[in-house]
Amino acid sequence: MTMGWAIFQSLVNGILMGGTYALLAVGTTIIFGVMRMINFASSAFIMLGMYVAWWACNLFHAGVYVTLPFSVLVLAILAYLSFKLAIEKVMFRDAASVIIVTIGLMYVLQNITLMIFGTTPLNIFSDLRMKFYTVLGITTQAIRLISFGTSVLLTVILALVINKTSYGRCMRATSESQEIAQILGVNAKFVFISAWIIGIVLTGIAGTIMSPLYNITIGVGSIFGSTALIAIVLGGMGDIRGAFISGIALGIVEALVSVFVAPELGQSATFILFLVVMRFKPQGLFGRGERVA
């Protein structure tokens, strides 16, 4: 194994892993960009995406990707309920209230899930878990390729919706000024709840498509949650492009450090990168954080 091959293999692995981080970051960014609040419960919704996938697979006796539409429907319902029961009450209050409620929501979701599914780790069997592709000596896992492709596709679709549709214009107007948007006839309440549902569903999908690779427990979301939050700040608060690129970059850094330095330092390296960028560019790589696109 040559050094060049090891570097290239690590880059590919990092890009594929970064695709998951990117989708998580985009989901969290759309919520911040429109609602001006950071969802600290994102790790719980990643976890829910995995548990819903496990339940759907056992309910329909089908694979995780076949049951994905059903999982998306369940995640959308859960997102709507969480908005009506918790988020709607604190949307326009101070930042401390939002932080407390979203963190509280995370613990509530984890404990309800624990009561329903128990403490035993769950697994989803998939033939794709053991399927690999090798091109030019570089080996990639089928599930990671599917996850990356899904992340890119969903991000492109979201960007097109925001930039090319009337709903997207309403979303951008509301993110700039709720009062002016309402004067212009925009239903701001609908924009807020739909932005929350879109963000949560994207977060849950990221967990769902990766679920065959992990033991599913209530703490599984913490593997990804902190990195996703770093990505949205690193890319520039509220910037979808920045969130996606930062997610990919964090995946690459984590992979390279894990291979060439030490596996246990991979995630620590993402925090170091975050601190370095914040030192020289506090507004993030893509800057203004004033719009959702």
PDB file of all heavy atoms in Angstrom, residues 125-150:
ATOM      1  N   PHE A 125     -30.453  -5.446   9.167  1.00  0.00           N
ATOM      2  CA  PHE A 125     -29.669  -6.246   8.218  1.00  0.00           C
ATOM      3  C   PHE A 125     -29.882  -5.713   6.806  1.00  0.00           C
ATOM      4  O   PHE A 125     -30.988  -5.398   6.392  1.00  0.00           O
ATOM      5  CB  PHE A 125     -30.085  -7.714   8.278  1.00  0.00           C
ATOM      6  CG  PHE A 125     -29.416  -8.557   7.226  1.00  0.00           C
ATOM      7  CD1 PHE A 125     -28.106  -8.968   7.392  1.00  0.00           C
ATOM      8  CD2 PHE A 125     -30.091  -8.890   6.061  1.00  0.00           C
ATOM      9  CE1 PHE A 125     -27.473  -9.734   6.422  1.00  0.00           C
ATOM     10  CE2 PHE A 125     -29.468  -9.657   5.085  1.00  0.00           C
ATOM     11  CZ  PHE A 125     -28.153 -10.074   5.266  1.00  0.00           C
ATOM     12  N   SER A 126     -28.780  -5.599   6.082  1.00  0.00           N
ATOM     13  CA  SER A 126     -28.861  -5.184   4.684  1.00  0.00           C
ATOM     14  C   SER A 126     -27.738  -5.856   3.911  1.00  0.00           C
ATOM     15  O   SER A 126     -26.576  -5.857   4.339  1.00  0.00           O
ATOM     16  CB  SER A 126     -28.738  -3.656   4.561  1.00  0.00           C
ATOM     17  OG  SER A 126     -28.674  -3.270   3.204  1.00  0.00           O
ATOM     18  N   ASP A 127     -28.091  -6.444   2.771  1.00  0.00           N
ATOM     19  CA  ASP A 127     -27.075  -7.053   1.912  1.00  0.00           C
ATOM     20  C   ASP A 127     -26.049  -6.021   1.463  1.00  0.00           C
ATOM     21  O   ASP A 127     -24.879  -6.352   1.207  1.00  0.00           O
ATOM     22  CB  ASP A 127     -27.735  -7.676   0.673  1.00  0.00           C
ATOM     23  CG  ASP A 127     -28.588  -8.892   1.024  1.00  0.00           C
ATOM     24  OD1 ASP A 127     -28.273  -9.540   2.041  1.00  0.00           O
ATOM     25  OD2 ASP A 127     -29.552  -9.173   0.291  1.00  0.00           O
ATOM     26  N   LEU A 128     -26.471  -4.764   1.372  1.00  0.00           N
ATOM     27  CA  LEU A 128     -25.564  -3.705   0.908  1.00  0.00           C
ATOM     28  C   LEU A 128     -24.449  -3.422   1.910  1.00  0.00           C
ATOM     29  O   LEU A 128     -23.440  -2.818   1.552  1.00  0.00           O
ATOM     30  CB  LEU A 128     -26.351  -2.420   0.651  1.00  0.00           C
ATOM     31  CG  LEU A 128     -27.348  -2.476  -0.512  1.00  0.00           C
ATOM     32  CD1 LEU A 128     -28.172  -1.203  -0.556  1.00  0.00           C
ATOM     33  CD2 LEU A 128     -26.608  -2.677  -1.830  1.00  0.00           C
ATOM     34  N   ARG A 129     -24.650  -3.860   3.140  1.00  0.00           N
ATOM     35  CA  ARG A 129     -23.631  -3.620   4.168  1.00  0.00           C
ATOM     36  C   ARG A 129     -22.318  -4.297   3.812  1.00  0.00           C
ATOM     37  O   ARG A 129     -21.245  -3.802   4.163  1.00  0.00           O
ATOM     38  CB  ARG A 129     -24.151  -4.124   5.514  1.00  0.00           C
ATOM     39  CG  ARG A 129     -23.250  -3.793   6.681  1.00  0.00           C
ATOM     40  CD  ARG A 129     -23.925  -4.156   7.990  1.00  0.00           C
ATOM     41  NE  ARG A 129     -23.133  -3.759   9.139  1.00  0.00           N
ATOM     42  CZ  ARG A 129     -23.552  -3.855  10.397  1.00  0.00           C
ATOM     43  NH1 ARG A 129     -24.748  -4.334  10.651  1.00  0.00           N
ATOM     44  NH2 ARG A 129     -22.778  -3.486  11.386  1.00  0.00           N
ATOM     45  N   MET A 130     -22.417  -5.418   3.147  1.00  0.00           N
ATOM     46  CA  MET A 130     -21.218  -6.167   2.783  1.00  0.00           C
ATOM     47  C   MET A 130     -20.864  -6.018   1.311  1.00  0.00           C
ATOM     48  O   MET A 130     -20.051  -6.772   0.792  1.00  0.00           O
ATOM     49  CB  MET A 130     -21.409  -7.644   3.128  1.00  0.00           C
ATOM     50  CG  MET A 130     -21.694  -7.910   4.602  1.00  0.00           C
ATOM     51  SD  MET A 130     -20.453  -7.189   5.703  1.00  0.00           S
ATOM     52  CE  MET A 130     -19.019  -8.145   5.214  1.00  0.00           C
ATOM     53  N   LYS A 131     -21.472  -5.052   0.645  1.00  0.00           N
ATOM     54  CA  LYS A 131     -21.213  -4.860  -0.776  1.00  0.00           C
ATOM     55  C   LYS A 131     -20.250  -3.688  -0.946  1.00  0.00           C
ATOM     56  O   LYS A 131     -20.490  -2.591  -0.453  1.00  0.00           O
ATOM     57  CB  LYS A 131     -22.515  -4.585  -1.524  1.00  0.00           C
ATOM     58  CG  LYS A 131     -22.344  -4.609  -3.026  1.00  0.00           C
ATOM     59  CD  LYS A 131     -23.703  -4.622  -3.728  1.00  0.00           C
ATOM     60  CE  LYS A 131     -23.475  -4.715  -5.213  1.00  0.00           C
ATOM     61  NZ  LYS A 131     -24.221  -5.723  -5.878  1.00  0.00           N
ATOM     62  N   PHE A 132     -19.170  -3.928  -1.683  1.00  0.00           N
ATOM     63  CA  PHE A 132     -18.150  -2.905  -1.912  1.00  0.00           C
ATOM     64  C   PHE A 132     -17.891  -2.780  -3.411  1.00  0.00           C
ATOM     65  O   PHE A 132     -18.061  -3.740  -4.165  1.00  0.00           O
ATOM     66  CB  PHE A 132     -16.847  -3.263  -1.189  1.00  0.00           C
ATOM     67  CG  PHE A 132     -16.966  -3.285   0.309  1.00  0.00           C
ATOM     68  CD1 PHE A 132     -17.436  -4.412   0.974  1.00  0.00           C
ATOM     69  CD2 PHE A 132     -16.607  -2.175   1.057  1.00  0.00           C
ATOM     70  CE1 PHE A 132     -17.545  -4.436   2.354  1.00  0.00           C
ATOM     71  CE2 PHE A 132     -16.711  -2.186   2.444  1.00  0.00           C
ATOM     72  CZ  PHE A 132     -17.183  -3.319   3.095  1.00  0.00           C
ATOM     73  N   TYR A 133     -17.464  -1.591  -3.809  1.00  0.00           N
ATOM     74  CA  TYR A 133     -17.074  -1.349  -5.185  1.00  0.00           C
ATOM     75  C   TYR A 133     -15.624  -0.878  -5.201  1.00  0.00           C
ATOM     76  O   TYR A 133     -15.213  -0.078  -4.357  1.00  0.00           O
ATOM     77  CB  TYR A 133     -17.967  -0.284  -5.835  1.00  0.00           C
ATOM     78  CG  TYR A 133     -19.415  -0.683  -5.930  1.00  0.00           C
ATOM     79  CD1 TYR A 133     -20.342  -0.197  -5.015  1.00  0.00           C
ATOM     80  CD2 TYR A 133     -19.861  -1.556  -6.920  1.00  0.00           C
ATOM     81  CE1 TYR A 133     -21.673  -0.560  -5.084  1.00  0.00           C
ATOM     82  CE2 TYR A 133     -21.194  -1.924  -7.004  1.00  0.00           C
ATOM     83  CZ  TYR A 133     -22.091  -1.423  -6.086  1.00  0.00           C
ATOM     84  OH  TYR A 133     -23.413  -1.785  -6.158  1.00  0.00           O
ATOM     85  N   THR A 134     -14.868  -1.387  -6.153  1.00  0.00           N
ATOM     86  CA  THR A 134     -13.476  -0.978  -6.284  1.00  0.00           C
ATOM     87  C   THR A 134     -13.253  -0.392  -7.670  1.00  0.00           C
ATOM     88  O   THR A 134     -13.506  -1.052  -8.689  1.00  0.00           O
ATOM     89  CB  THR A 134     -12.525  -2.176  -6.070  1.00  0.00           C
ATOM     90  OG1 THR A 134     -12.737  -2.717  -4.756  1.00  0.00           O
ATOM     91  CG2 THR A 134     -11.078  -1.724  -6.193  1.00  0.00           C
ATOM     92  N   VAL A 135     -12.805   0.845  -7.710  1.00  0.00           N
ATOM     93  CA  VAL A 135     -12.520   1.542  -8.965  1.00  0.00           C
ATOM     94  C   VAL A 135     -11.127   2.159  -8.853  1.00  0.00           C
ATOM     95  O   VAL A 135     -10.842   2.925  -7.928  1.00  0.00           O
ATOM     96  CB  VAL A 135     -13.560   2.647  -9.252  1.00  0.00           C
ATOM     97  CG1 VAL A 135     -13.230   3.374 -10.547  1.00  0.00           C
ATOM     98  CG2 VAL A 135     -14.965   2.049  -9.325  1.00  0.00           C
ATOM     99  N   LEU A 136     -10.242   1.785  -9.787  1.00  0.00           N
ATOM    100  CA  LEU A 136      -8.861   2.293  -9.789  1.00  0.00           C
ATOM    101  C   LEU A 136      -8.165   2.038  -8.455  1.00  0.00           C
ATOM    102  O   LEU A 136      -7.380   2.855  -7.967  1.00  0.00           O
ATOM    103  CB  LEU A 136      -8.842   3.788 -10.109  1.00  0.00           C
ATOM    104  CG  LEU A 136      -9.433   4.182 -11.486  1.00  0.00           C
ATOM    105  CD1 LEU A 136      -9.424   5.701 -11.642  1.00  0.00           C
ATOM    106  CD2 LEU A 136      -8.630   3.528 -12.612  1.00  0.00           C
ATOM    107  N   GLY A 137      -8.487   0.906  -7.841  1.00  0.00           N
ATOM    108  CA  GLY A 137      -7.838   0.540  -6.589  1.00  0.00           C
ATOM    109  C   GLY A 137      -8.450   1.168  -5.351  1.00  0.00           C
ATOM    110  O   GLY A 137      -8.025   0.889  -4.235  1.00  0.00           O
ATOM    111  N   ILE A 138      -9.455   2.015  -5.534  1.00  0.00           N
ATOM    112  CA  ILE A 138     -10.109   2.671  -4.411  1.00  0.00           C
ATOM    113  C   ILE A 138     -11.410   1.939  -4.100  1.00  0.00           C
ATOM    114  O   ILE A 138     -12.264   1.770  -4.968  1.00  0.00           O
ATOM    115  CB  ILE A 138     -10.407   4.155  -4.716  1.00  0.00           C
ATOM    116  CG1 ILE A 138      -9.116   4.887  -5.094  1.00  0.00           C
ATOM    117  CG2 ILE A 138     -11.084   4.818  -3.533  1.00  0.00           C
ATOM    118  CD1 ILE A 138      -8.042   4.860  -4.026  1.00  0.00           C
ATOM    119  N   THR A 139     -11.556   1.498  -2.847  1.00  0.00           N
ATOM    120  CA  THR A 139     -12.714   0.714  -2.433  1.00  0.00           C
ATOM    121  C   THR A 139     -13.705   1.581  -1.677  1.00  0.00           C
ATOM    122  O   THR A 139     -13.324   2.346  -0.779  1.00  0.00           O
ATOM    123  CB  THR A 139     -12.270  -0.459  -1.546  1.00  0.00           C
ATOM    124  OG1 THR A 139     -11.347  -1.279  -2.271  1.00  0.00           O
ATOM    125  CG2 THR A 139     -13.471  -1.301  -1.133  1.00  0.00           C
ATOM    126  N   THR A 140     -14.978   1.479  -2.050  1.00  0.00           N
ATOM    127  CA  THR A 140     -16.025   2.222  -1.362  1.00  0.00           C
ATOM    128  C   THR A 140     -17.162   1.284  -1.014  1.00  0.00           C
ATOM    129  O   THR A 140     -17.449   0.319  -1.736  1.00  0.00           O
ATOM    130  CB  THR A 140     -16.575   3.367  -2.241  1.00  0.00           C
ATOM    131  OG1 THR A 140     -17.042   2.822  -3.478  1.00  0.00           O
ATOM    132  CG2 THR A 140     -15.507   4.403  -2.515  1.00  0.00           C
ATOM    133  N   GLN A 141     -17.823   1.562   0.096  1.00  0.00           N
ATOM    134  CA  GLN A 141     -18.937   0.745   0.553  1.00  0.00           C
ATOM    135  C   GLN A 141     -20.229   1.225  -0.103  1.00  0.00           C
ATOM    136  O   GLN A 141     -20.480   2.429  -0.211  1.00  0.00           O
ATOM    137  CB  GLN A 141     -19.062   0.844   2.076  1.00  0.00           C
ATOM    138  CG  GLN A 141     -19.951  -0.206   2.697  1.00  0.00           C
ATOM    139  CD  GLN A 141     -19.857  -0.189   4.213  1.00  0.00           C
ATOM    140  OE1 GLN A 141     -19.404   0.776   4.815  1.00  0.00           O
ATOM    141  NE2 GLN A 141     -20.278  -1.268   4.846  1.00  0.00           N
ATOM    142  N   ALA A 142     -21.048   0.294  -0.516  1.00  0.00           N
ATOM    143  CA  ALA A 142     -22.274   0.637  -1.256  1.00  0.00           C
ATOM    144  C   ALA A 142     -23.179   1.556  -0.452  1.00  0.00           C
ATOM    145  O   ALA A 142     -23.740   2.527  -0.990  1.00  0.00           O
ATOM    146  CB  ALA A 142     -23.021  -0.642  -1.638  1.00  0.00           C
ATOM    147  N   ILE A 143     -23.328   1.274   0.830  1.00  0.00           N
ATOM    148  CA  ILE A 143     -24.226   2.093   1.657  1.00  0.00           C
ATOM    149  C   ILE A 143     -23.737   3.532   1.733  1.00  0.00           C
ATOM    150  O   ILE A 143     -24.530   4.477   1.676  1.00  0.00           O
ATOM    151  CB  ILE A 143     -24.353   1.489   3.070  1.00  0.00           C
ATOM    152  CG1 ILE A 143     -25.182   0.206   2.999  1.00  0.00           C
ATOM    153  CG2 ILE A 143     -24.996   2.482   4.035  1.00  0.00           C
ATOM    154  CD1 ILE A 143     -25.361  -0.494   4.315  1.00  0.00           C
ATOM    155  N   ARG A 144     -22.422   3.714   1.828  1.00  0.00           N
ATOM    156  CA  ARG A 144     -21.889   5.081   1.904  1.00  0.00           C
ATOM    157  C   ARG A 144     -22.064   5.807   0.574  1.00  0.00           C
ATOM    158  O   ARG A 144     -22.294   7.028   0.552  1.00  0.00           O
ATOM    159  CB  ARG A 144     -20.425   5.053   2.327  1.00  0.00           C
ATOM    160  CG  ARG A 144     -20.236   4.517   3.742  1.00  0.00           C
ATOM    161  CD  ARG A 144     -18.872   4.837   4.310  1.00  0.00           C
ATOM    162  NE  ARG A 144     -18.693   4.251   5.621  1.00  0.00           N
ATOM    163  CZ  ARG A 144     -19.105   4.793   6.768  1.00  0.00           C
ATOM    164  NH1 ARG A 144     -19.748   5.946   6.738  1.00  0.00           N
ATOM    165  NH2 ARG A 144     -18.895   4.195   7.924  1.00  0.00           N
ATOM    166  N   LEU A 145     -21.960   5.087  -0.535  1.00  0.00           N
ATOM    167  CA  LEU A 145     -22.217   5.699  -1.838  1.00  0.00           C
ATOM    168  C   LEU A 145     -23.676   6.143  -1.947  1.00  0.00           C
ATOM    169  O   LEU A 145     -23.971   7.250  -2.417  1.00  0.00           O
ATOM    170  CB  LEU A 145     -21.897   4.710  -2.957  1.00  0.00           C
ATOM    171  CG  LEU A 145     -20.423   4.543  -3.348  1.00  0.00           C
ATOM    172  CD1 LEU A 145     -20.281   3.405  -4.352  1.00  0.00           C
ATOM    173  CD2 LEU A 145     -19.865   5.835  -3.937  1.00  0.00           C
ATOM    174  N   ILE A 146     -24.583   5.282  -1.502  1.00  0.00           N
ATOM    175  CA  ILE A 146     -26.006   5.625  -1.533  1.00  0.00           C
ATOM    176  C   ILE A 146     -26.278   6.827  -0.630  1.00  0.00           C
ATOM    177  O   ILE A 146     -27.020   7.752  -1.001  1.00  0.00           O
ATOM    178  CB  ILE A 146     -26.858   4.424  -1.099  1.00  0.00           C
ATOM    179  CG1 ILE A 146     -26.754   3.303  -2.136  1.00  0.00           C
ATOM    180  CG2 ILE A 146     -28.317   4.830  -0.894  1.00  0.00           C
ATOM    181  CD1 ILE A 146     -27.390   1.998  -1.686  1.00  0.00           C
ATOM    182  N   SER A 147     -25.678   6.833   0.543  1.00  0.00           N
ATOM    183  CA  SER A 147     -25.877   7.938   1.483  1.00  0.00           C
ATOM    184  C   SER A 147     -25.375   9.253   0.905  1.00  0.00           C
ATOM    185  O   SER A 147     -26.054  10.288   0.993  1.00  0.00           O
ATOM    186  CB  SER A 147     -25.158   7.640   2.805  1.00  0.00           C
ATOM    187  OG  SER A 147     -25.647   6.455   3.385  1.00  0.00           O
ATOM    188  N   PHE A 148     -24.201   9.206   0.287  1.00  0.00           N
ATOM    189  CA  PHE A 148     -23.645  10.422  -0.299  1.00  0.00           C
ATOM    190  C   PHE A 148     -24.515  10.907  -1.456  1.00  0.00           C
ATOM    191  O   PHE A 148     -24.825  12.103  -1.561  1.00  0.00           O
ATOM    192  CB  PHE A 148     -22.216  10.158  -0.795  1.00  0.00           C
ATOM    193  CG  PHE A 148     -21.569  11.376  -1.407  1.00  0.00           C
ATOM    194  CD1 PHE A 148     -21.045  12.368  -0.601  1.00  0.00           C
ATOM    195  CD2 PHE A 148     -21.491  11.521  -2.786  1.00  0.00           C
ATOM    196  CE1 PHE A 148     -20.450  13.493  -1.162  1.00  0.00           C
ATOM    197  CE2 PHE A 148     -20.907  12.635  -3.350  1.00  0.00           C
ATOM    198  CZ  PHE A 148     -20.380  13.627  -2.532  1.00  0.00           C
ATOM    199  N   GLY A 149     -24.914   9.993  -2.327  1.00  0.00           N
ATOM    200  CA  GLY A 149     -25.767  10.371  -3.451  1.00  0.00           C
ATOM    201  C   GLY A 149     -27.089  10.967  -2.984  1.00  0.00           C
ATOM    202  O   GLY A 149     -27.575  11.961  -3.550  1.00  0.00           O
ATOM    203  N   THR A 150     -27.670  10.376  -1.941  1.00  0.00           N
ATOM    204  CA  THR A 150     -28.922  10.897  -1.387  1.00  0.00           C
ATOM    205  C   THR A 150     -28.732  12.294  -0.822  1.00  0.00           C
ATOM    206  O   THR A 150     -29.572  13.185  -1.017  1.00  0.00           O
ATOM    207  CB  THR A 150     -29.447   9.959  -0.293  1.00  0.00           C
ATOM    208  OG1 THR A 150     -29.605   8.646  -0.823  1.00  0.00           O
ATOM    209  CG2 THR A 150     -30.780  10.449   0.255  1.00  0.00           C
TER     210      THR A 150
END
